[in-house]
mmCIF file of all heavy atoms in Angstrom:
data_model
loop_
_atom_site.group_PDB
_atom_site.id
_atom_site.type_symbol
_atom_site.label_atom_id
_atom_site.label_comp_id
_atom_site.label_asym_id
_atom_site.label_seq_id
_atom_site.Cartn_x
_atom_site.Cartn_y
_atom_site.Cartn_z
ATOM 1 N N GLY A 38 -83.206 -151.779 -160.780
ATOM 2 C CA GLY A 38 -84.027 -151.575 -161.966
ATOM 3 C C GLY A 38 -85.483 -151.884 -161.754
ATOM 4 O O GLY A 38 -86.327 -151.594 -162.607
ATOM 5 N N ASN A 39 -85.826 -152.517 -160.619
ATOM 6 C CA ASN A 39 -87.202 -152.934 -160.385
ATOM 7 C C ASN A 39 -87.965 -151.991 -159.475
ATOM 8 O O ASN A 39 -89.172 -151.844 -159.582
ATOM 9 C CB ASN A 39 -87.218 -154.344 -159.768
ATOM 10 C CG ASN A 39 -86.772 -155.387 -160.764
ATOM 11 O OD1 ASN A 39 -86.993 -155.233 -161.960
ATOM 12 N ND2 ASN A 39 -86.135 -156.448 -160.290
ATOM 13 N N LEU A 40 -87.264 -151.386 -158.525
ATOM 14 C CA LEU A 40 -87.945 -150.502 -157.592
ATOM 15 C C LEU A 40 -88.183 -149.140 -158.219
ATOM 16 O O LEU A 40 -87.295 -148.583 -158.857
ATOM 17 C CB LEU A 40 -87.111 -150.320 -156.326
ATOM 18 C CG LEU A 40 -87.297 -151.381 -155.254
ATOM 19 C CD1 LEU A 40 -86.414 -151.036 -154.076
ATOM 20 C CD2 LEU A 40 -88.732 -151.496 -154.829
ATOM 21 N N LEU A 41 -89.364 -148.596 -158.010
ATOM 22 C CA LEU A 41 -89.676 -147.259 -158.482
ATOM 23 C C LEU A 41 -89.278 -146.238 -157.433
ATOM 24 O O LEU A 41 -89.187 -146.561 -156.249
ATOM 25 C CB LEU A 41 -91.180 -147.145 -158.749
ATOM 26 C CG LEU A 41 -91.713 -148.043 -159.854
ATOM 27 C CD1 LEU A 41 -93.222 -147.877 -159.948
ATOM 28 C CD2 LEU A 41 -91.075 -147.709 -161.189
ATOM 29 N N PRO A 42 -89.038 -144.997 -157.818
ATOM 30 C CA PRO A 42 -88.802 -143.952 -156.816
ATOM 31 C C PRO A 42 -89.963 -143.881 -155.853
ATOM 32 O O PRO A 42 -91.105 -144.199 -156.204
ATOM 33 C CB PRO A 42 -88.694 -142.680 -157.669
ATOM 34 C CG PRO A 42 -88.262 -143.169 -159.009
ATOM 35 C CD PRO A 42 -88.924 -144.508 -159.185
ATOM 36 N N LEU A 43 -89.678 -143.450 -154.646
ATOM 37 C CA LEU A 43 -90.695 -143.474 -153.600
ATOM 38 C C LEU A 43 -91.928 -142.666 -153.962
ATOM 39 O O LEU A 43 -93.023 -142.942 -153.495
ATOM 40 C CB LEU A 43 -90.086 -142.955 -152.289
ATOM 41 C CG LEU A 43 -88.948 -143.816 -151.740
ATOM 42 C CD1 LEU A 43 -88.399 -143.187 -150.474
ATOM 43 C CD2 LEU A 43 -89.425 -145.229 -151.467
ATOM 44 N N GLY A 44 -91.793 -141.629 -154.794
ATOM 45 C CA GLY A 44 -92.934 -140.784 -155.104
ATOM 46 C C GLY A 44 -93.763 -141.265 -156.269
ATOM 47 O O GLY A 44 -94.815 -140.696 -156.561
ATOM 48 N N VAL A 45 -93.333 -142.333 -156.953
ATOM 49 C CA VAL A 45 -94.060 -142.785 -158.132
ATOM 50 C C VAL A 45 -95.297 -143.557 -157.724
ATOM 51 O O VAL A 45 -95.269 -144.368 -156.813
ATOM 52 C CB VAL A 45 -93.148 -143.678 -158.997
ATOM 53 C CG1 VAL A 45 -93.911 -144.236 -160.186
ATOM 54 C CG2 VAL A 45 -91.956 -142.868 -159.484
ATOM 55 N N GLN A 46 -96.389 -143.326 -158.393
ATOM 56 C CA GLN A 46 -97.634 -144.003 -158.090
ATOM 57 C C GLN A 46 -97.609 -145.422 -158.630
ATOM 58 O O GLN A 46 -96.991 -145.708 -159.649
ATOM 59 C CB GLN A 46 -98.818 -143.247 -158.711
ATOM 60 C CG GLN A 46 -99.012 -141.860 -158.153
ATOM 61 C CD GLN A 46 -99.310 -141.884 -156.666
ATOM 62 O OE1 GLN A 46 -100.114 -142.686 -156.212
ATOM 63 N NE2 GLN A 46 -98.667 -141.014 -155.918
ATOM 64 N N ALA A 47 -98.314 -146.344 -157.944
ATOM 65 C CA ALA A 47 -98.332 -147.736 -158.362
ATOM 66 C C ALA A 47 -98.924 -147.895 -159.752
ATOM 67 O O ALA A 47 -98.601 -148.823 -160.477
ATOM 68 C CB ALA A 47 -99.134 -148.566 -157.357
ATOM 69 N N THR A 48 -99.823 -146.987 -160.144
ATOM 70 C CA THR A 48 -100.473 -147.096 -161.444
ATOM 71 C C THR A 48 -99.501 -146.882 -162.586
ATOM 72 O O THR A 48 -99.812 -147.196 -163.731
ATOM 73 C CB THR A 48 -101.611 -146.076 -161.563
ATOM 74 O OG1 THR A 48 -101.097 -144.771 -161.262
ATOM 75 C CG2 THR A 48 -102.728 -146.403 -160.601
ATOM 76 N N GLU A 49 -98.312 -146.380 -162.269
ATOM 77 C CA GLU A 49 -97.334 -146.138 -163.313
ATOM 78 C C GLU A 49 -96.470 -147.360 -163.595
ATOM 79 O O GLU A 49 -95.643 -147.355 -164.484
ATOM 80 C CB GLU A 49 -96.441 -144.952 -162.923
ATOM 81 C CG GLU A 49 -97.189 -143.635 -162.813
ATOM 82 C CD GLU A 49 -96.260 -142.504 -162.434
ATOM 83 O OE1 GLU A 49 -95.128 -142.473 -162.928
ATOM 84 O OE2 GLU A 49 -96.676 -141.662 -161.635
ATOM 85 N N VAL A 50 -96.656 -148.433 -162.805
ATOM 86 C CA VAL A 50 -95.899 -149.651 -163.044
ATOM 87 C C VAL A 50 -96.364 -150.280 -164.342
ATOM 88 O O VAL A 50 -97.555 -150.362 -164.606
ATOM 89 C CB VAL A 50 -96.120 -150.657 -161.893
ATOM 90 C CG1 VAL A 50 -95.329 -151.935 -162.163
ATOM 91 C CG2 VAL A 50 -95.706 -150.040 -160.575
ATOM 92 N N GLU A 51 -95.430 -150.724 -165.178
ATOM 93 C CA GLU A 51 -95.807 -151.357 -166.419
ATOM 94 C C GLU A 51 -96.623 -152.604 -166.117
ATOM 95 O O GLU A 51 -96.314 -153.370 -165.216
ATOM 96 C CB GLU A 51 -94.566 -151.741 -167.214
ATOM 97 C CG GLU A 51 -93.780 -150.543 -167.726
ATOM 98 C CD GLU A 51 -92.589 -150.959 -168.551
ATOM 99 O OE1 GLU A 51 -92.451 -152.175 -168.796
ATOM 100 O OE2 GLU A 51 -91.809 -150.081 -168.950
ATOM 101 N N THR A 52 -97.673 -152.848 -166.919
ATOM 102 C CA THR A 52 -98.604 -153.930 -166.645
ATOM 103 C C THR A 52 -97.915 -155.272 -166.569
ATOM 104 O O THR A 52 -98.130 -156.043 -165.634
ATOM 105 C CB THR A 52 -99.680 -153.973 -167.745
ATOM 106 O OG1 THR A 52 -100.354 -152.720 -167.781
ATOM 107 C CG2 THR A 52 -100.675 -155.093 -167.465
ATOM 108 N N GLN A 53 -97.055 -155.575 -167.521
ATOM 109 C CA GLN A 53 -96.394 -156.863 -167.528
ATOM 110 C C GLN A 53 -95.542 -157.054 -166.286
ATOM 111 O O GLN A 53 -95.559 -158.107 -165.663
ATOM 112 C CB GLN A 53 -95.534 -157.016 -168.780
ATOM 113 C CG GLN A 53 -94.877 -158.388 -168.895
ATOM 114 C CD GLN A 53 -94.106 -158.540 -170.192
ATOM 115 O OE1 GLN A 53 -94.080 -157.634 -171.017
ATOM 116 N NE2 GLN A 53 -93.478 -159.696 -170.373
ATOM 117 N N GLY A 54 -94.788 -156.030 -165.908
ATOM 118 C CA GLY A 54 -93.954 -156.126 -164.724
ATOM 119 C C GLY A 54 -94.780 -156.266 -163.464
ATOM 120 O O GLY A 54 -94.442 -157.029 -162.567
ATOM 121 N N ALA A 55 -95.890 -155.540 -163.406
ATOM 122 C CA ALA A 55 -96.752 -155.600 -162.231
ATOM 123 C C ALA A 55 -97.342 -156.983 -162.048
ATOM 124 O O ALA A 55 -97.430 -157.500 -160.937
ATOM 125 C CB ALA A 55 -97.860 -154.559 -162.349
ATOM 126 N N VAL A 56 -97.772 -157.589 -163.157
ATOM 127 C CA VAL A 56 -98.350 -158.926 -163.084
ATOM 128 C C VAL A 56 -97.296 -159.922 -162.619
ATOM 129 O O VAL A 56 -97.554 -160.772 -161.763
ATOM 130 C CB VAL A 56 -98.921 -159.346 -164.456
ATOM 131 C CG1 VAL A 56 -99.336 -160.817 -164.424
ATOM 132 C CG2 VAL A 56 -100.105 -158.481 -164.825
ATOM 133 N N SER A 57 -96.088 -159.827 -163.182
ATOM 134 C CA SER A 57 -95.009 -160.741 -162.807
ATOM 135 C C SER A 57 -94.655 -160.597 -161.332
ATOM 136 O O SER A 57 -94.476 -161.585 -160.631
ATOM 137 C CB SER A 57 -93.783 -160.463 -163.677
ATOM 138 O OG SER A 57 -92.688 -161.246 -163.256
ATOM 139 N N GLN A 58 -94.576 -159.363 -160.856
ATOM 140 C CA GLN A 58 -94.254 -159.128 -159.452
ATOM 141 C C GLN A 58 -95.380 -159.607 -158.542
ATOM 142 O O GLN A 58 -95.134 -160.192 -157.486
ATOM 143 C CB GLN A 58 -93.952 -157.642 -159.256
ATOM 144 C CG GLN A 58 -92.666 -157.211 -159.947
ATOM 145 C CD GLN A 58 -92.573 -155.733 -160.226
ATOM 146 O OE1 GLN A 58 -93.431 -154.965 -159.804
ATOM 147 N NE2 GLN A 58 -91.539 -155.315 -160.938
ATOM 148 N N GLN A 59 -96.626 -159.370 -158.955
ATOM 149 C CA GLN A 59 -97.751 -159.832 -158.158
ATOM 150 C C GLN A 59 -97.802 -161.352 -158.107
ATOM 151 O O GLN A 59 -98.123 -161.942 -157.067
ATOM 152 C CB GLN A 59 -99.064 -159.296 -158.740
ATOM 153 C CG GLN A 59 -100.300 -159.658 -157.924
ATOM 154 C CD GLN A 59 -100.284 -159.042 -156.539
ATOM 155 O OE1 GLN A 59 -100.051 -157.855 -156.391
ATOM 156 N NE2 GLN A 59 -100.528 -159.859 -155.516
ATOM 157 N N ALA A 60 -97.469 -162.001 -159.211
ATOM 158 C CA ALA A 60 -97.459 -163.463 -159.237
ATOM 159 C C ALA A 60 -96.442 -164.010 -158.241
ATOM 160 O O ALA A 60 -96.699 -165.010 -157.557
ATOM 161 C CB ALA A 60 -97.148 -163.960 -160.651
ATOM 162 N N PHE A 61 -95.290 -163.346 -158.143
ATOM 163 C CA PHE A 61 -94.290 -163.796 -157.181
ATOM 164 C C PHE A 61 -94.790 -163.593 -155.754
ATOM 165 O O PHE A 61 -94.620 -164.469 -154.898
ATOM 166 C CB PHE A 61 -92.976 -163.047 -157.390
ATOM 167 C CG PHE A 61 -91.920 -163.405 -156.383
ATOM 168 C CD1 PHE A 61 -91.392 -164.688 -156.329
ATOM 169 C CD2 PHE A 61 -91.477 -162.469 -155.459
ATOM 170 C CE1 PHE A 61 -90.431 -165.038 -155.386
ATOM 171 C CE2 PHE A 61 -90.516 -162.802 -154.521
ATOM 172 C CZ PHE A 61 -89.992 -164.089 -154.484
ATOM 173 N N ILE A 62 -95.414 -162.464 -155.498
ATOM 174 C CA ILE A 62 -95.984 -162.208 -154.170
ATOM 175 C C ILE A 62 -97.005 -163.281 -153.821
ATOM 176 O O ILE A 62 -97.020 -163.815 -152.708
ATOM 177 C CB ILE A 62 -96.624 -160.814 -154.106
ATOM 178 C CG1 ILE A 62 -95.551 -159.727 -154.231
ATOM 179 C CG2 ILE A 62 -97.400 -160.622 -152.793
ATOM 180 C CD1 ILE A 62 -96.107 -158.339 -154.426
ATOM 181 N N ASP A 63 -97.868 -163.611 -154.778
ATOM 182 C CA ASP A 63 -98.877 -164.644 -154.544
ATOM 183 C C ASP A 63 -98.230 -165.989 -154.226
ATOM 184 O O ASP A 63 -98.745 -166.765 -153.429
ATOM 185 C CB ASP A 63 -99.777 -164.792 -155.775
ATOM 186 C CG ASP A 63 -100.633 -163.562 -156.031
ATOM 187 O OD1 ASP A 63 -100.863 -162.787 -155.078
ATOM 188 O OD2 ASP A 63 -101.062 -163.368 -157.182
ATOM 189 N N SER A 64 -97.081 -166.264 -154.854
ATOM 190 C CA SER A 64 -96.437 -167.559 -154.670
ATOM 191 C C SER A 64 -95.801 -167.707 -153.291
ATOM 192 O O SER A 64 -95.612 -168.827 -152.819
ATOM 193 C CB SER A 64 -95.377 -167.777 -155.763
ATOM 194 O OG SER A 64 -94.228 -166.977 -155.531
ATOM 195 N N ILE A 65 -95.460 -166.587 -152.643
ATOM 196 C CA ILE A 65 -94.808 -166.655 -151.325
ATOM 197 C C ILE A 65 -95.723 -166.201 -150.198
ATOM 198 O O ILE A 65 -95.374 -166.342 -149.024
ATOM 199 C CB ILE A 65 -93.512 -165.819 -151.295
ATOM 200 C CG1 ILE A 65 -93.827 -164.327 -151.490
ATOM 201 C CG2 ILE A 65 -92.516 -166.322 -152.338
ATOM 202 C CD1 ILE A 65 -92.605 -163.414 -151.353
ATOM 203 N N GLY A 66 -96.899 -165.694 -150.535
ATOM 204 C CA GLY A 66 -97.773 -165.102 -149.530
ATOM 205 C C GLY A 66 -98.207 -166.048 -148.435
ATOM 206 O O GLY A 66 -98.216 -165.687 -147.252
ATOM 207 N N TYR A 67 -98.585 -167.278 -148.809
ATOM 208 C CA TYR A 67 -99.069 -168.226 -147.800
ATOM 209 C C TYR A 67 -97.956 -168.596 -146.824
ATOM 210 O O TYR A 67 -98.165 -168.643 -145.613
ATOM 211 C CB TYR A 67 -99.626 -169.490 -148.459
ATOM 212 C CG TYR A 67 -100.039 -170.535 -147.458
ATOM 213 C CD1 TYR A 67 -101.193 -170.375 -146.690
ATOM 214 C CD2 TYR A 67 -99.266 -171.676 -147.257
ATOM 215 C CE1 TYR A 67 -101.560 -171.322 -145.749
ATOM 216 C CE2 TYR A 67 -99.630 -172.625 -146.323
ATOM 217 C CZ TYR A 67 -100.787 -172.447 -145.571
ATOM 218 O OH TYR A 67 -101.143 -173.385 -144.635
ATOM 219 N N SER A 68 -96.756 -168.858 -147.348
ATOM 220 C CA SER A 68 -95.629 -169.197 -146.471
ATOM 221 C C SER A 68 -95.337 -168.056 -145.509
ATOM 222 O O SER A 68 -95.136 -168.270 -144.309
ATOM 223 C CB SER A 68 -94.380 -169.493 -147.311
ATOM 224 O OG SER A 68 -94.531 -170.693 -148.025
ATOM 225 N N ALA A 69 -95.326 -166.837 -146.039
ATOM 226 C CA ALA A 69 -95.044 -165.672 -145.197
ATOM 227 C C ALA A 69 -96.098 -165.510 -144.111
ATOM 228 O O ALA A 69 -95.774 -165.268 -142.940
ATOM 229 C CB ALA A 69 -94.974 -164.417 -146.052
ATOM 230 N N ALA A 70 -97.372 -165.620 -144.488
ATOM 231 C CA ALA A 70 -98.457 -165.446 -143.521
ATOM 232 C C ALA A 70 -98.406 -166.506 -142.431
ATOM 233 O O ALA A 70 -98.599 -166.210 -141.247
ATOM 234 C CB ALA A 70 -99.802 -165.481 -144.246
ATOM 235 N N SER A 71 -98.142 -167.758 -142.813
ATOM 236 C CA SER A 71 -98.098 -168.852 -141.842
ATOM 237 C C SER A 71 -96.938 -168.687 -140.871
ATOM 238 O O SER A 71 -97.097 -168.807 -139.656
ATOM 239 C CB SER A 71 -97.977 -170.194 -142.573
ATOM 240 O OG SER A 71 -99.083 -170.421 -143.411
ATOM 241 N N VAL A 72 -95.760 -168.406 -141.399
ATOM 242 C CA VAL A 72 -94.567 -168.267 -140.556
ATOM 243 C C VAL A 72 -94.672 -167.033 -139.666
ATOM 244 O O VAL A 72 -94.364 -167.090 -138.470
ATOM 245 C CB VAL A 72 -93.298 -168.196 -141.434
ATOM 246 C CG1 VAL A 72 -92.081 -167.826 -140.590
ATOM 247 C CG2 VAL A 72 -93.074 -169.521 -142.143
ATOM 248 N N ALA A 73 -95.112 -165.925 -140.235
ATOM 249 C CA ALA A 73 -95.217 -164.690 -139.458
ATOM 250 C C ALA A 73 -96.228 -164.838 -138.321
ATOM 251 O O ALA A 73 -95.970 -164.406 -137.189
ATOM 252 C CB ALA A 73 -95.627 -163.527 -140.369
ATOM 253 N N ASP A 74 -97.360 -165.459 -138.612
ATOM 254 C CA ASP A 74 -98.401 -165.630 -137.603
ATOM 255 C C ASP A 74 -97.903 -166.477 -136.437
ATOM 256 O O ASP A 74 -98.276 -166.242 -135.289
ATOM 257 C CB ASP A 74 -99.630 -166.274 -138.241
ATOM 258 C CG ASP A 74 -100.835 -166.269 -137.306
ATOM 259 O OD1 ASP A 74 -101.204 -165.192 -136.799
ATOM 260 O OD2 ASP A 74 -101.408 -167.357 -137.079
ATOM 261 N N ALA A 75 -97.055 -167.439 -136.716
ATOM 262 C CA ALA A 75 -96.542 -168.335 -135.676
ATOM 263 C C ALA A 75 -95.374 -167.734 -134.907
ATOM 264 O O ALA A 75 -94.973 -168.280 -133.866
ATOM 265 C CB ALA A 75 -96.122 -169.660 -136.297
ATOM 266 N N ASN A 76 -94.836 -166.607 -135.394
ATOM 267 C CA ASN A 76 -93.633 -166.053 -134.773
ATOM 268 C C ASN A 76 -93.776 -164.601 -134.339
ATOM 269 O O ASN A 76 -92.768 -163.920 -134.111
ATOM 270 C CB ASN A 76 -92.459 -166.173 -135.738
ATOM 271 C CG ASN A 76 -91.966 -167.596 -135.890
ATOM 272 O OD1 ASN A 76 -91.195 -168.084 -135.067
ATOM 273 N ND2 ASN A 76 -92.425 -168.277 -136.933
#
Side-chain angles (χ1 to χ4, degrees):
N39 291 329
L40 274 181
L41 296 177
L43 297 178
V45 176
Q46 296 298 315
T48 53
E49 296 180 39
V50 180
E51 292 182 5
T52 301
Q53 184 176 359
V56 172
S57 175
Q58 292 159 6
Q59 183 64 49
F61 177 65
I62 293 170
D63 293 338
S64 74
I65 64 175
Y67 176 73
S68 291
S71 299
V72 171
D74 190 54
N76 287 278

